[in-house]
Amino acid sequence: MPKVAVLDMQGKEVGSVELSDAIFGIEPNATVMHHMVKNYLANQRQGTQSALTRAEVSGGGKKPWRQKGTGHARQGSTRAPQWTHGGIVFAPKPRSYRYTVNRKVKRLAMKSAFSTKVIDNNLIVLDSIQLDEFKTKTIAAMLNALGADRKALIVLPEVNEKIIKSARNIPGVKTAQVNTLNVYDMLGADKLIVLKDAVSKIEEVYA
């Protein structure tokens, strides 16, 4: 089992925790992680783009000039795609880009992402975050002490408004709960900071 040090908010080691091999110690599968990142980005697309085809553009009912004898190429409408203000060929229409991924693939991708962070020494287990008030400076000082002052993802066991609102003003820092974690955010973070209580929940969910 991978063994990781448990740190406090000042970056000092206060203990250690053994992580589950089934979640944090597998051979990462890059293919399924890439698949989940593509799925996440596709599901974020609004798909609201829309343009008019030649059938939908107003005007163009009259033939611009007679068919033969003018020296011009034959034209049937001023709203054909080659004309200024004409319709768009294969115009995009509102659609959904969303698609689903098999549950087993999702779970394998999550386990691979966790294991990748452990292998790269980018997983930090935090004892707890104590905040008496909404204070961005406290979170920033904590991240600096942990060596995670760039891109960081803080994983909470449950919703904590003080932590979430204190961290959201720091560029590159995100918060998530165990049930809202995704591979895209995990791989995008330089450091994955998981609260000790969240580790047991992760093992419970993905065991």
Side-chain angles (χ1 to χ4, degrees):
M1 286 187 174
K3 197 170 185 178
V4 178
V6 178
L7 308 179
D8 62 11
M9 293 179 66
Q10 287 72 45
K12 296 177 182 176
E13 187 173 335
V14 293
S16 62
V17 62
E18 288 191 350
L19 304 176
S20 170
D21 271 334
I23 299 168
F24 297 93
I26 71 168
E27 179 70 29
N29 188 320
T31 302
V32 295
M33 288 192 289
H34 178 247
H35 190 45
M36 283 306 302
V37 168
K38 286 201 304 179
N39 173 255
Y40 177 86
L41 293 174
N43 291 350
Q44 298 305 302
R45 294 184 69 173
Q46 287 186 316
T48 55
Q49 75 277 35
S50 184
L52 302 179
T53 65
R54 63 181 294 170
E56 296 167 319
V57 179
S58 62
K62 181 184 177 183
K63 189 173 174 65
W65 49 76
R66 58 196 175 93
Q67 181 83 344
K68 292 178 177 290
T70 64
H72 291 295
R74 54 194 178 188
Q75 301 291 333
S77 170
T78 57
R79 293 299 178 259
Q82 71 270 23
W83 286 74
T84 303
H85 307 302
I88 303 297
V89 181
F90 305 128
K93 293 297 177 185
R95 54 165 286 198
S96 173
Y97 291 88
R98 179 172 291 274
Y99 68 95
T100 57
V101 177
N102 291 337
R103 187 180 300 172
K104 286 184 178 180
V105 174
K106 286 182 183 179
R107 293 172 71 87
L108 179 57
M110 289 295 292
K111 292 176 182 180
S112 295
F114 283 124
S115 298
T116 298
K117 291 300 179 186
V118 173
I119 292 169
D120 296 338
N121 292 321
N122 288 327
L123 177 71
I124 299 172
V125 178
L126 196 62
D127 185 37
S128 64
I129 298 178
Q130 301 296 332
L131 283 180
D132 297 326
E133 55 181 337
F134 296 92
K135 201 73 174 176
T136 300
K137 187 182 289 186
T138 304
I139 298 295
M142 178 194 77
L143 293 172
N144 193 47
L146 295 173
D149 50 349
R150 296 181 66 192
K151 287 185 177 181
L153 178 62
I154 303 172
V155 183
L156 309 172
E158 56 194 15
V159 175
N160 186 316
E161 290 294 333
K162 285 183 180 178
I163 298 175
I164 293 170
K165 291 184 177 180
S166 297
R168 69 184 180 185
N169 288 333
I170 306 174
V173 176
K174 291 184 177 181
T175 56
Q177 291 79 54
V178 174
N179 59 345
T180 63
L181 269 176
N182 63 78
V183 175
Y184 178 81
D185 286 339
M186 290 171 63
L187 295 181
D190 291 333
K191 296 290 183 180
L192 182 65
I193 302 169
V194 186
L195 266 69
K196 190 176 179 180
D197 291 342
V199 172
S200 56
K201 283 198 172 186
I202 290 170
E203 293 180 347
E204 184 181 329
V205 171
Y206 295 102

